């Protein structure tokens, strides 16, 4: 029931189909807080003309510019005024997904709070797929029957793997992500990106006054940073991407 599932469900429900979402919704922070301005074209297809139609004003903020430094310490700014559609937004991702899920429910989509388990097929019956629940947070039926399935489970590929379909991986890049308690007087609403020797760093101030900070690189480097957060902090502070140092207490 993430944004990909919900967007698909809303479009299908608006087309007159009977649609159900199956998901165990996680709690806490969620990665994916930057929304480019071009996304409004897709949101309008869902009946959302502005983020204010979906989120409270304290759940999203305008991205005023993109600030980047590639291979040196010279920052280049791409101002939002240069884009006819604006600079996009920074948002509280878990609130965005929750509001989009509510939009799907209002469109008539059913939501089952549980984890999909075994999927059986039988083309001789009225429905092609029978999806059983692996776990349930609330009373649910034993299974759901459907003609179609959409696998929007991301990297786990829960549905595809049951049918022996493997994901195609084009690269070995991952990310280490953390959320900081930002400075109370911080006003930087840019998206900041800076390269380092073995990858690049990304940061954005969120409307709830947390700051997301991420390192993108090869899986071996990311794994090392996750095992030893002090290496993550050392890399961040060496680049001065934020203009001030951070520590583990952040």
């Amino acid at each position: 029931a993430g944004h990909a599932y919900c967007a698909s469900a809303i479009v299908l429900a608006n087309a007159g189909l009977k649609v159900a979402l199956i998901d165990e919704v996680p709690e806490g922070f969620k990665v994916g807080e930057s929304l480019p301005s071009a996304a409004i074209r897709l949101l309008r297809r869902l009946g959302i003309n502005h983020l204010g139609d979906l989120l409270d004003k304290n759940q999203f903020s305008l991205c005023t510019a993109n600030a980047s430094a590639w291979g040196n310490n010279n920052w280049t700014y791409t101002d939002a005024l240069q884009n006819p559609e604006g600079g996009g937004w920074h948002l509280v991702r878990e609130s965005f997904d929750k509001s989009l899920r509510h939009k799907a429910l209002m469109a008539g989509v059913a939501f089952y709070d549980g984890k999909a388990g075994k999927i059986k097929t039988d083309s001789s019956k009225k429905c092609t797929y029978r999806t059983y629940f692996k776990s349930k947070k609330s009373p649910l039926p034993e299974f759901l029957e459907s003609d179609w399935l959409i696998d929007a489970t991301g990297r786990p590929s829960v549905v595809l793997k049951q049918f022996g379909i493997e994901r195609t991986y084009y690269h070995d890049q991952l990310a280490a992500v953390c959320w900081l308690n930002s400075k109370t007087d911080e006003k930087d609403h840019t998206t900041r990106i800076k390269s380092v020797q073995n990858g690049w760093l990304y940061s954005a101030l969120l409307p709830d006054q947390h700051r997301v900070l991420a390192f993108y690189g090869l899986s071996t480097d990311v794994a090392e940073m996750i095992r030893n957060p002090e290496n993550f902090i050392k890399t961040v502070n060496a680049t001065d991407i934020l203009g001030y140092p951070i520590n583990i207490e952040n």
Side-chain angles (χ1 to χ4, degrees), residues 59-223:
Q59 295 174 332
F60 71 99
S61 58
L62 292 174
C63 173
T64 57
N66 291 330
S68 59
W70 295 98
N72 54 53
N73 291 320
N74 299 321
W75 289 95
T76 300
Y77 293 86
T78 304
D79 197 287
L81 291 174
Q82 299 178 26
N83 188 335
E85 293 181 303
W89 303 270
H90 298 142
L91 47 82
V92 180
R93 173 60 188 278
E94 55 270 22
S95 297
F96 178 77
D97 283 7
K98 182 178 179 180
S99 296
L100 203 57
R101 190 162 58 250
H102 178 72
K103 180 79 173 177
L105 296 179
M106 293 299 98
V109 175
F111 173 62
Y112 295 90
D113 191 356
K115 183 179 292 185
K118 185 67 177 178
I119 301 172
K120 297 182 179 180
T121 60
D122 188 350
S123 57
S124 65
K125 296 187 176 181
K126 63 177 182 178
C127 291
T128 305
Y129 301 100
R130 178 176 285 185
T131 303
Y132 292 82
F133 289 95
K134 185 176 181 180
S135 63
K136 307 175 184 181
K137 291 185 178 180
S138 58
L140 295 174
E142 181 183 359
F143 55 81
L144 294 181
E145 291 184 327
S146 61
D147 291 318
W148 297 88
L149 289 176
I150 297 178
D151 188 348
T153 58
R155 294 177 63 87
S157 304
V158 173
V159 177
L160 294 181
K161 286 181 178 178
Q162 293 203 37
F163 297 101
I165 302 172
E166 296 295 328
R167 286 174 57 94
T168 300
Y169 294 92
Y170 292 99
H171 53 72
D172 192 28
Q173 290 182 338
L174 291 174
V177 184
C178 74
W179 289 264
L180 308 174
N181 294 315
S182 67
K183 297 164 63 177
T184 56
D185 59 345
E186 193 168 3
K187 303 297 182 183
D188 181 7
H189 293 287
T190 62
T191 294
R192 304 183 70 82
I193 300 174
K194 190 171 187 179
S195 63
V196 293
Q197 185 175 5
N198 56 343
W200 69 93
L201 292 162
Y202 156 91
S203 186
L205 179 65
L206 304 185
D208 63 358
Q209 288 304 301
H210 283 96
R211 174 172 282 281
V212 64
L213 189 60
F215 168 82
Y216 292 84
L218 296 179
S219 58
T220 51
D221 295 321
V222 170

